């Protein structure tokens, strides 16, 4: 930027004072107020074309410097990788501008799953070390394929209606269960159903039954929620079987790690698991199984960082019950102080009570257990639901899950920034649960522009047939962030996921190192021509 | 708000200093930075339930005080009217929360035109004096019904394809025209087509042909634009007939005035009108007809304020052509200094050149003619199209038409506020042209929250079968603004439309008076029980 400000120009006043170029001006006055005042006191209509260009550059530079990732310095290798990544991003972006129907983030994910899979940009993002997945719900983490494998376990019964056509419930039991949720249901061994419907048919059916796919349109978001809750309920009987619980978690860790996630914070209702005889174990056993599984996984995957639990029961209860939740969480934390580290309430906010109703009970949670509240996952602006955002912040939450409405609350947005509260943004979830449709209209764009702390998360990726975290990164990078958001944005977002985790400062430093190692390897692979050639050959 | 801050509470520090209640605190420290610092230095997790309530109230009050309309004081009569209006608004809002499928702003306008018509809230808003419509395009203002009446004029020929099934072109001529746009077209007198297809059938057909209705879904927004441009093109042959031009404008003024609009700024390409013999008049004649018609209308409607023109040719041209536009505008302004007051470029931004390409030419426009640029009517964040927002501001625009992406540019949003540049928000247009779908996700919510100058406008209401301005007000009030936005919001928005108009300060004062008179009458009618009873009886 070398344009000199003309001496006779209306902006020559401040030009003469100190800085002949916009770059110097910025260097000496990196202050937004100065910019506002400068423009406010200038008659822009009297600008010469040079003045205009200079001013334009100044404002542009200010903007560029204020978005997510602009504090990042790229290494030489990263610069090269960035060029390749941005080449692919721009190719998709420009193709989209020419023909918007070809732009994946303009569509429902279910309509573009196949296209996205083939995108070279997506392929790069898949392998990218993403740091942490800070918002995942424990029984929607494993791919449906993996869950279907689990239906081959011994002693599994299935309750169906419509002559075996609709699967309503699973249960592990030595004998045919007597009770059932659906009065017209019929229990039979899983093998029998497999025979009856044909193995391949049943697998296909279950893949649909265990996800929202292909329903890209519901009458309202409440209907989408009902559908999703139905999947959770169906999974309960299968996954809450004590001998299975740990295996599911292990498999989830495998799938997330394979998708570039080295650390997870898992929200769980901490269900009481059941045994073959139908008896229920205490909640602490559920956590113990989690912990044992995690230790095993960590031993077998030295590159993996860690995982922690956020106790997150359902919000559709009375304050007394929340009081019990708080006690339960406190006890679990006492027994597993480094593992059960947070508290949240889950379920559709529109239907539950607002946080304010529970405030008194919530404030009883010991201070060292952090809040990670779901809040503002709604588009009812100004409703009591929307107020959860305010309450989450005033109650001292460490992060906010979703916070979809926060851009309608500039003060809360500034508070989040000032108090260093990160938003867990889940682009695909917001679309599938019908909060928004086109990713280009996702409110996180404003968070990115204003550099409000945020992490990219997925929520229940298995329910939308998405990769554990890659589809959310792809949609955020290509569809939500500005066109010129590049590797700096990706690196900052990955690093933020560790920065805003519940890890201690020491643990964060170690985590950063583990992440950095994988990151550098990834960058190396992107720029390595040999690597790229072999990928080409593999096609 | 009377909660006293506990002395032992962690926030007792600043509590002791000066203010025992949140209200007093606010009164003495109405400063956001103080609030941020106060919350930043407080361990919120140590709050007592009382502390929490007080803090919550403080933040809430700050929020409430910063939105659009909170500078407005309501009179006693307005208070009563407000209660009735908010009663209706809350009824619709709460019904929506219970069953989102019943919430009109959650749907495409074409699906709810009938429901909205019956809404008591809409009925109130219809009659509300809205001030000015600052963004209207001159040939999409009159209802299709009115346009269809105009097809009964003498000497009208119609060119059809598909055996008379598709109307392609209109032309007034003494004899059958020889040239046509469609090579397969066939000219016939309009009466003949009416006989052929049946009068009622043809009227029905034309009502569809002259609007986007019922197409609530296009493959992309580019397809929606193409469809809309096709309507403009079809209308050209009909409306650009010199003897008709003034009548169309007169009828538009009637319809807008009946919808509560007392002042209009009309964007026009200033077409050269044609005569029966096919000859074209100079552009100044077009403006002269406008002016004569306006004078006649004002004489016959003393409550009406005024109307002005913004010269707004198509943007899909080379810089030299923009240079000619600028000259043309300068000349028209010389001849009609109080009537042709502004300059803009129109047409789909995604396809045209960015403003920056025209900057040099644009800066030649005399300073007293204002810019009213279309900018940011896109969702390609960070693209060259999106940059138009920046350029519009740096070029010294007085208002921004749409600015749909501005919430992705916090700095530009603050600049708009600081430089007092109003955004012309057109909710229905944005939906029909496929920028967004659910009104609850419209970015203007952020503008409302941050009190960025904005006016509500309609653009091309006839093309979506909407009232001239009432549907946009309804969607903005119920679907975009927060639940508690009330008559203060409506009053501020109406007043803003005059405040941000091109009127001189003196003219604005007079305009405000004319508006105020109608406003007070409207308020009176809302609270008058007699009036309400008779409305009931009329049903």
């Amino acid at each position: 930027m070398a344009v000199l400000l003309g001496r006779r120009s209306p902006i020559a006043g401040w030009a003469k004072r100190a800085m002949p170029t916009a770059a110097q001006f910025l260097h000496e006055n990196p202050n937004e107020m100065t910019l506002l005042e400068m423009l406010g006191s200038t008659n822009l209509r009297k600008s010469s074309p040079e003045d205009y260009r200079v001013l334009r550059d100044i404002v542009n530079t200010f903007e560029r410097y204020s978005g997510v990732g602009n504090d990042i310095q790229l290494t030489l290798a990263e610069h090269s990788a960035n060029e390749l990544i941005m080449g692919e991003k721009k190719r998709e972006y420009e193709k989209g501008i020419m023909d918007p129907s070809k732009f994946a983030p303009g569509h429902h994910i279910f309509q573009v799953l196949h296209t996205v899979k083939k995108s070279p940009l997506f392929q790069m993002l898949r392998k990218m070390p993403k740091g942490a997945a800070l918002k995942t719900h424990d029984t929607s983490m494993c791919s449906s394929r993996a869950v279907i494998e689990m239906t081959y376990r011994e002693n599994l019964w299935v309750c169906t209606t419509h002559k075996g056509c609709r699967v309503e419930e699973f249960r592990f039991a030595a004998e045919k269960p007597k009770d059932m949720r659906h009065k017209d249901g019929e229990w039979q061994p899983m093998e029998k159903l497999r025979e009856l419907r044909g193995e391949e048919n049943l697998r296909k059916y279950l893949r649909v039954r265990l996800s929202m796919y292909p329903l890209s349109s519901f009458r309202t978001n409440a209907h989408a929620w009902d559908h999703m809750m139905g999947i959770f309920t169906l999974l309960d009987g299968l996954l809450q079987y004590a001998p299975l619980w740990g295996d599911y978690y292990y498999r989830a860790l495998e799938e997330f790690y394979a998708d570039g996630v080295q650390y997870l914070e898992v929200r769980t209702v901490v269900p009481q698991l059941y045994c073959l005889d139908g008896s229920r174990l205490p909640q602490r056993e559920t956590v113990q199984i989690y912990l044992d599984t995690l230790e095993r996984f960590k031993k077998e995957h030295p590159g993996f960082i860690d995982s922690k639990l956020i106790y997150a029961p359902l919000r559709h209860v009375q304050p007394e019950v929340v009081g019990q939740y708080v006690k339960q969480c406190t006890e679990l934390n006492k027994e597993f102080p480094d593992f059960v580290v947070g508290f949240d309430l889950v379920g559709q906010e529109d239907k539950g009570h607002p946080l304010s109703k529970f405030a008194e009970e919530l404030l009883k949670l010991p201070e060292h257990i952090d809040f990670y509240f779901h809040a503002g996952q709604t588009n009812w602006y100004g409703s009591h639901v929307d107020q959860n955002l305010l309450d989450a912040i005033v109650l001292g939450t460490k992060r906010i899950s979703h916070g979809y409405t926060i851009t309608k609350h500039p003060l809360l947005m500034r508070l989040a920034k000032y108090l260093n509260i990160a938003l867990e943004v889940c682009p695909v979830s917001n679309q599938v649960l019908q909060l928004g449709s086109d990713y280009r209209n996702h409110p996180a764009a404003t968070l990115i522009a204003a550099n409000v702390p945020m992490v990219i998360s997925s929520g229940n990726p298995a329910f939308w047939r998405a990769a554990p975290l890659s589809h959310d990164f792809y949609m955020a990078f290509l569809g939500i962030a500005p066109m010129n958001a590049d590797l700096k944005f990706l690196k900052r977002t990955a690093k933020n996921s560790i920065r805003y985790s519940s890890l201690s400062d020491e643990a964060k430093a170690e985590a950063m190192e583990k992440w950095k190692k994988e990151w550098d390897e990834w960058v190396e692979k992107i720029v390595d021509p040999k690597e790229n050639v072999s990928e080409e050959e593999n096609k």
Side-chain angles (χ1 to χ4, degrees), chain A:
Chain A
M1 198 189 302
V3 180
L4 290 172
L5 293 173
R7 291 211 175 177
R8 302 224 171 169
S9 80
I11 44 177
W14 44 263
K16 253 185 280 174
R17 254 183 269 143
M19 76 299 325
T21 72
Q24 285 180 15
F25 168 82
L26 258 182
H27 182 68
E28 291 175 31
N29 301 273
N31 180 323
E32 194 186 293
M33 205 53 219
T34 324
L35 175 70
L36 291 182
E37 280 168 8
M38 185 180 86
L39 284 184
S41 62
T42 303
N43 183 340
L44 296 164
R45 292 298 302 280
K46 284 202 172 129
S47 295
S48 70
E50 288 78 33
D51 293 338
Y52 154 77
R53 296 274 164 211
V54 172
L55 280 178
R56 186 178 191 281
D57 282 347
I58 293 175
V59 180
N60 233 334
T61 310
F62 257 90
E63 271 220 300
R64 238 189 349 261
Y65 272 81
S66 52
V68 165
N70 286 304
D71 58 325
I72 296 279
Q73 301 286 338
L74 296 183
T75 63
L76 271 181
E78 284 171 337
H79 262 296
S80 309
N82 194 29
E83 267 175 41
L84 294 165
I85 292 167
M86 291 307 280
E88 292 303 337
K89 178 174 176 180
K90 278 184 181 148
R91 197 171 304 158
E92 288 199 42
Y93 205 90
E94 273 152 24
K95 201 170 75 183
I97 293 185
M98 295 293 288
D99 178 356
S101 71
K102 299 238 165 72
F103 192 62
H107 296 275
H108 193 285
I109 187 166
F110 293 162
Q111 285 150 8
V112 292
L113 277 172
H114 285 283
T115 336
V116 171
K117 208 184 244 174
K118 285 182 244 154
S119 147
L121 178 65
F122 178 73
Q123 289 307 330
M124 288 178 179
L125 293 177
R126 265 211 94 137
K127 291 174 195 150
M128 187 184 96
K130 301 170 185 68
L134 296 183
K135 177 193 154 54
T136 55
H137 293 282
D138 59 352
T139 58
S140 52
M141 291 163 70
C142 274
S143 63
S144 303
R145 271 180 216 285
V147 173
I148 290 167
E149 291 311 317
M150 293 170 196
T151 63
Y152 283 79
R153 301 277 178 117
E154 265 187 351
N155 299 314
L156 181 62
W157 294 77
V158 58
C159 181
T160 61
T161 54
H162 302 84
K163 307 203 163 151
C165 283
R166 187 174 160 83
V167 170
E168 301 285 3
E169 202 174 345
F170 289 110
R171 183 119 24 114
F172 285 94
E175 281 171 22
K176 185 173 181 168
K178 291 193 181 70
D179 61 309
M180 59 188 75
R181 230 181 286 123
H182 291 262
K183 62 176 170 30
D184 304 329
E186 212 176 307
W187 284 110
Q188 61 186 309
M190 190 63 190
E191 305 88 66
K192 280 267 186 276
L193 184 66
R194 215 171 272 132
E195 266 170 41
L196 182 75
R197 296 193 54 176
E199 184 170 1
E200 252 332 286
N201 275 344
L202 188 61
R203 290 179 77 97
K204 268 188 207 157
Y205 165 79
L206 285 175
R207 274 208 80 197
V208 172
R209 182 74 177 81
L210 292 170
S211 85
M212 314 279 283
Y213 187 90
L215 300 168
S216 59
S217 162
F218 288 88
R219 235 172 87 216
T220 69
N221 67 330
H223 291 84
W225 265 94
D226 287 346
H227 189 92
M228 182 172 78
M229 295 316 284
I231 306 175
F232 275 120
T233 309
L234 173 64
L235 284 169
D236 280 352
L238 184 73
L239 305 184
Q240 290 180 11
Y241 180 49
L244 199 76
W245 190 252
D247 296 350
Y248 181 91
Y249 180 50
Y250 192 93
R251 177 61 194 249
L253 295 177
E254 279 183 331
E255 291 188 1
F256 272 76
Y257 190 35
D259 200 47
V261 176
Q262 290 169 274
Y263 174 80
L264 281 98
E265 292 191 3
V266 179
R267 280 172 171 85
T268 174
V269 300
V270 192
Q272 287 187 266
L273 306 180
Y274 73 96
C275 305
L276 202 60
D277 63 4
S279 61
R280 292 266 172 186
L281 302 175
Q283 280 186 301
R284 68 156 312 284
E285 285 303 315
T286 312
V287 180
Q288 189 64 55
I289 293 175
Y290 263 133
L291 197 56
D292 295 344
T293 310
L294 174 65
E295 290 311 324
R296 183 159 60 92
F297 187 83
K298 279 161 72 177
K299 211 167 283 169
E300 286 157 21
H301 301 82
F304 188 76
I305 297 166
D306 210 347
S307 174
K308 308 220 177 256
L309 296 186
I310 295 170
Y311 179 49
L314 283 165
R315 68 190 322 128
H316 312 115
V317 294
Q318 292 305 311
E320 311 83 81
V321 183
V322 171
Q324 290 157 22
Y325 288 162
V326 165
K327 270 188 207 146
Q328 184 59 32
C329 182
T330 311
E331 275 166 37
L332 288 172
N333 168 268
K334 245 181 225 157
E335 194 164 359
F336 306 95
D338 286 333
F339 191 49
V340 178
V341 294
F343 186 89
D344 184 14
L345 292 168
V346 299
Q348 194 186 356
E349 277 181 83
D350 293 357
K351 285 184 175 171
H353 299 295
L355 285 177
S356 58
K357 193 170 171 179
F358 305 134
E360 199 151 333
E361 300 301 332
L362 292 169
L363 286 168
K364 291 179 189 159
L365 189 76
E367 196 193 324
H368 69 279
I369 307 175
D370 280 311
F371 287 131
Y372 297 91
F373 286 126
H374 271 74
Q377 187 184 8
T378 182
N379 46 23
W380 291 108
Y381 180 25
S383 68
H384 67 278
V385 190
D386 180 36
Q387 288 246 323
N388 281 342
L389 262 181
L390 161 66
D391 284 302
I393 291 173
V394 177
L395 286 168
T397 198
K398 194 173 152 74
R399 293 196 303 265
I400 292 171
S401 196
H402 293 291
Y404 191 81
T405 50
I406 201 168
T407 57
K408 298 175 181 176
H409 300 276
L411 176 62
L412 300 185
M413 213 159 67
R414 278 192 293 275
L415 272 172
K417 192 168 176 174
Y418 195 84
L419 303 175
N420 227 6
I421 300 167
L423 285 114
E424 301 165 359
V425 173
C426 307
V428 181
S429 164
N430 297 152
Q431 186 189 47
V432 177
L433 293 176
Q434 313 273 310
L435 271 187
S437 45
D438 192 319
Y439 289 94
R440 287 170 297 175
N441 289 334
H442 195 285
T446 300
L447 304 180
I448 293 168
N451 209 353
V452 174
M454 56 159 269
V455 295
I456 294 171
S457 255
S458 53
N460 318 296
F463 290 0
W464 20 96
R465 291 199 184 178
L469 201 49
S470 294
H471 284 91
D472 287 280
F473 259 85
Y474 173 80
M475 292 302 184
F477 185 56
L478 183 63
I480 302 177
M483 191 189 71
N484 61 9
D486 62 4
L487 189 59
K488 297 200 288 295
F489 168 84
L490 293 169
K491 195 175 178 184
R492 167 49 57 219
T493 308
K495 289 180 86 165
N496 273 358
S497 69
I498 293 169
R499 179 174 175 184
Y500 293 107
S501 73
S502 68
L503 290 169
S504 68
D505 287 349
E506 297 74 24
K508 273 181 198 172
E510 272 175 52
M512 266 322 169
E513 262 175 50
K514 280 193 173 182
W515 166 79
K516 181 79 168 40
K517 188 166 169 291
E518 301 211 350
W519 176 269
D520 289 342
E521 283 168 18
W522 173 70
V523 169
E524 212 50 58
K525 273 184 194 159
I526 287 188
V527 294
D528 183 357
K530 265 179 267 156
E531 194 73 27
N532 290 324
V533 168
S534 69
E535 291 239 344
E536 280 298 310
E537 283 166 356
N538 284 340
K539 268 180 193 165

